[in-house]
Amino acid sequence: MNTVTTAAAAEDLARNVTDAGRTRVVVVLTAPPGEAQPWFDVEEILTSLGGDADVHLLATGEAVWAFCARIPEAAQVLGGAGRVYPPGRAWLDDPTRFPLRFPAVPADAVATAVLVDDALAMVARANWRSGRIAAGRRRVTGVVKGAVANRALVRLDAGGFASITPALTVPGIPLERLVSEGQQVTGLHDPASRWLDVHDSLRPASQFLKAYKVGRVVLVEVARVEQDHLVVRLHPDVEVRVEGADAARGNAALVTLYSPGDVVRAVVVTRPPAWAVRLVDVPVEEPVRAAALLPGGPAWLVERAPEQGAASVPAAAPGAVMPRPAVPAPPRKRPGVPGIPRSATTPSKRELDTVRRAERETGEPPAVPVAATPAALVGRRPVPLTATPVVMTPAAAPKTAASKSAAPSPGFPSPGVPKPATPRPTATPQPVHSTSPAGAVRLPPAGLKPPTRVGKSGGGAGAAEFAALLQEFALLERERARLETRVESLNEQLRDQRSQLRKAVAERAADAPAVFADPEFGFRHAVLGAWARRIPVAEQASVPLGDFRIGEQFLASVERLGASYRDKVLSVTVEIVCGLAPSLPSREVHRYRESESGGSPYVTRADGAALWRASLQAGTAAARRIHYWILPGGLVELCHVGVHDERPPH
């Protein structure tokens, strides 16, 4: 690690960070006020990165101000924080994509893990896989034994343990969507850092998306939300633009219906060379199961189930103002850092058991990087932060030898020392107040000013005030962590509300069903509309809606089934008439027999028509079925819909 103490060295570092020709990742750390060392675990950062990134510490206030003066405000680093800068200078277009990381206690395992993940993701994109092969990496296999703090613990077949981090596999994808306990993995092992790189085992997008046929319902992840369009992912490497008309009905604003990270259903409209999907008029059927990114792993996308007890969004008349749903107070949760599970701060029993089992099997500590391991697992005791509100008073403290020779505070210019000529960074932490008395943050009285001199006179008072400021800083950090937890909880509730709102908007925007004097004519009209919505325009010529008959008792059975199944009946009717149903596994199409006995004869009519059955639903109690005749010439005659055990008339 390079320690920067002078303004000249800090300016050189700033020029390097903003150099368009820079090819290495740069990590910049600072120390909290009053501290000589950062609160990150520097040793773990250096071990995890293994020399593939440059790590610098701005060790003095002079260096901090000189560096920040030459860096855009949104990309500065100070006050004990750390930041990772990717190669080149393209990051200057949007520095907020590379946020500050704040440790809350000395050797903070959670903040260190997040910072390491930031750096590893950038190093992997730049040159990690090509630069480290010659450094003794070897291909190994192993079995995932569990997860601790967003790291997968892998027992290697050759002995020992290694760790998998999402940052080296698919950055931004949570660990639980990559690997699962008991999964066998293969990758390149770096003995120095003990990382296991399984990136080469990722299934290519072309193989991954083979089952995504035109007309099939699939799961996609919302990547970005713009005013007039969405960008969704079919695969981490396959992004598809969805225009507003294909994402929402009516004039609903996309930003009110979707947010990045939402997992929603879509219909495949076209396949490569240009993927296209739509998020409206999605048939009511089970989506194609999203495949695993790694062999033997979990599905990378899973539909989110609404929280129990979530209030539904009532349908409103067109033009009516919908009341804003009340947001209940979020449940109390342990403070954490977004992107790292809560177990990173307080290990669960299962995580402790995972680590202890690994120790028993090998007689050595597991290869979970220290930064990723909760303090309780590595023998550290985080420094406790007082929860008592701080009341700033100008009372003098007794003079001591230490206070008389107080050293300047690294990370901030010393009181009484003129600031460097460079401008002071304008980013200033704003006070936040807890909603509960116990967490209230009391700021200094308006009349209290920071000490202007540290010396023989007033040195004790200045030291007392500075110590109080340090306590204030610690309390603000605790409040920040509490607010981050609350924001995370509110975002989860917002996702649920948006999901319900999408359904409500779709229902309100749907055209009112046409009413016909002749029910059969009305049903044929509805089937035609379902066919036009289901089959893309480019394929309607090759997948025409053929003629079909409607049996005498069919419409009556549809009415008995209820209005909630009407859309499903229409969708499956289109599949049957167009000849698509036999190729869809979820339809379970088969000939109908005279009895439940497997050897009983098939049901046929005197005119030679054969009775067939298809599923409207699968895997549910009293699942609905549709029965239809296929005449000798291939014409379809709809016969009956009902529950599984209900026998059709014949």
Side-chain angles (χ1 to χ4, degrees):
M1 181 177 68
N2 176 43
T3 301
V4 181
T5 58
T6 66
E11 291 169 0
D12 288 342
L13 176 59
R15 280 191 288 271
N16 179 43
V17 165
T18 55
D19 183 4
R22 178 171 54 86
T23 59
R24 289 177 61 82
V25 174
V26 172
V27 180
V28 179
L29 309 176
T30 60
E35 298 286 340
Q37 295 297 324
W39 280 8
F40 294 98
D41 189 327
V42 176
E43 181 182 351
E44 176 55 31
I45 292 175
L46 296 176
T47 300
S48 296
L49 299 181
D52 288 305
D54 298 328
V55 182
H56 303 269
L57 170 63
L58 300 176
T60 65
E62 179 185 7
V64 169
W65 301 127
F67 179 81
C68 290
R70 286 159 179 78
I71 295 291
E73 179 181 330
Q76 295 170 352
V77 56
L78 71 164
R83 194 191 292 271
V84 184
Y85 300 90
R89 57 179 290 124
W91 59 270
L92 288 169
D93 296 336
D94 186 11
T96 59
R97 292 170 49 210
F98 312 100
L100 283 171
R101 302 303 185 187
F102 286 93
V105 294
D108 190 319
V110 177
T112 302
V114 177
L115 192 76
V116 166
D117 277 355
D118 289 346
L120 285 176
M122 297 177 194
V123 169
R125 284 193 291 266
N127 56 12
W128 192 85
R129 294 185 178 90
S130 60
R132 293 286 286 274
I133 291 177
R137 295 171 66 214
R138 58 193 179 90
R139 186 165 296 278
V140 299
T141 60
V143 177
V144 177
K145 305 298 291 184
V148 179
N150 208 35
R151 266 61 168 165
L153 185 64
V154 180
R155 182 180 181 182
L156 302 179
D157 293 348
F161 281 82
S163 298
I164 295 175
T165 172
L168 284 177
T169 310
V170 186
I173 302 299
L175 182 68
E176 62 270 16
R177 287 161 53 183
L178 291 173
V179 297
S180 57
E181 189 170 350
Q183 178 182 348
Q184 187 172 42
V185 292
T186 300
L188 294 174
H189 181 226
D190 179 17
S193 63
R194 293 193 285 184
W195 291 125
L196 179 59
D197 179 14
V198 296
H199 183 270
D200 291 343
S201 298
L202 290 171
R203 299 175 63 192
S206 57
Q207 175 188 351
F208 184 96
L209 301 173
K210 277 184 178 180
Y212 287 24
K213 306 298 184 183
V214 171
R216 298 300 302 271
V217 177
V218 300
L219 295 178
V220 299
E221 181 183 49
V222 177
R224 295 186 296 280
V225 183
E226 307 293 346
Q227 283 295 116
D228 60 346
H229 72 277
L230 301 176
V231 176
V232 300
R233 294 191 185 100
L234 294 170
H235 177 275
D237 296 333
V238 179
E239 293 189 344
V240 180
R241 178 184 172 115
V242 182
E243 299 299 333
D246 290 327
R249 284 292 191 186
N251 297 319
L254 297 182
V255 293
T256 65
L257 301 178
Y258 301 95
S259 59
D262 287 348
V263 177
V264 298
R265 296 186 181 194
V267 177
V268 178
V269 177
T270 62
R271 285 180 52 84
W275 284 100
V277 299
R278 69 170 187 270
L279 277 58
V280 296
D281 296 329
V282 178
V284 185
E285 63 182 53
E286 288 301 311
V288 176
R289 183 182 184 275
L293 295 175
L294 291 169
W300 92 282
L301 287 182
V302 178
E303 266 188 304
R304 173 181 168 80
E307 291 185 1
Q308 294 295 327
S312 60
V313 179
V321 178
M322 295 184 66
R324 179 176 297 176
V327 179
R332 294 180 65 86
K333 298 198 291 187
R334 299 190 297 274
V337 176
I340 294 292
R342 292 192 299 276
S343 59
T345 52
T346 303
S348 66
K349 181 179 182 300
R350 183 175 183 180
E351 289 176 332
L352 287 169
D353 290 342
T354 298
V355 175
R356 290 166 181 158
R357 185 169 63 249
E359 290 178 339
R360 287 196 303 268
E361 292 177 355
T362 63
E364 62 179 21
V368 180
V370 175
T373 308
L377 299 182
V378 295
R380 292 196 183 93
R381 294 181 60 84
V383 176
L385 299 178
T386 176
T388 307
V390 176
V391 182
M392 305 284 290
T393 63
K399 296 182 180 180
T400 64
S403 64
K404 290 179 181 179
S405 60
S409 164
F412 278 89
S414 300
V417 179
K419 298 176 186 176
T422 54
R424 183 187 182 97
T426 56
T428 304
Q430 297 298 317
V432 287
H433 298 271
S434 170
T435 56
S436 61
V441 177
R442 301 183 187 176
L443 297 178
L448 179 64
K449 297 181 179 179
T452 58
R453 208 160 51 117
V454 176
K456 293 183 179 179
S457 62
E465 291 176 352
F466 192 72
L469 284 173
L470 291 181
Q471 282 189 310
E472 182 72 14
F473 176 80
L475 284 176
L476 288 173
E477 282 297 299
R478 291 171 64 88
E479 180 69 0
R480 177 186 61 81
R482 188 191 69 81
L483 291 174
E484 283 182 346
T485 302
R486 178 170 175 80
V487 168
E488 181 183 357
S489 176
L490 291 174
N491 281 337
E492 291 297 314
Q493 296 176 42
L494 181 59
R495 290 185 192 280
D496 287 336
Q497 296 290 341
R498 279 178 166 160
S499 176
Q500 296 173 52
L501 182 58
R502 286 195 296 269
K503 295 177 182 177
V505 168
E507 291 171 0
R508 291 199 307 272
D511 296 332
V515 179
F516 295 88
D518 183 349
E520 180 175 332
F521 188 82
F523 184 81
R524 289 182 178 277
H525 178 273
V527 170
L528 180 63
W531 170 81
R533 290 190 297 270
R534 176 69 180 271
I535 308 301
V537 173
E539 299 181 20
Q540 288 180 1
S542 59
V543 188
L545 179 67
D547 192 15
F548 61 95
R549 294 180 183 176
I550 298 177
E552 294 181 0
Q553 302 183 46
F554 179 74
L555 294 180
S557 67
V558 173
E559 290 299 319
R560 288 195 301 270
L561 206 58
S564 60
Y565 290 96
R566 181 176 176 84
D567 288 344
K568 188 66 174 178
V569 171
L570 294 173
S571 177
V572 176
T573 298
V574 169
E575 295 169 356
I576 292 171
V577 175
C578 293
L580 303 175
S583 63
L584 301 177
S586 60
R587 292 293 156 257
E588 302 175 322
V589 175
H590 61 277
R591 290 279 302 271
Y592 194 75
R593 296 180 181 274
E594 293 183 355
S595 71
E596 296 296 330
S597 173
S600 63
Y602 294 118
V603 175
T604 57
R605 278 193 325 206
D607 60 358
L611 186 60
W612 290 75
R613 179 162 75 173
S615 300
L616 295 182
Q617 300 169 299
T620 60
R624 274 61 178 175
R625 302 288 189 263
I626 182 170
H627 302 86
Y628 56 96
W629 298 96
I630 296 183
L631 280 65
L635 184 67
V636 171
E637 179 181 319
L638 302 176
C639 175
H640 173 268
V641 290
V643 297
H644 178 274
D645 296 330
E646 186 177 353
R647 296 187 64 80
H650 60 272

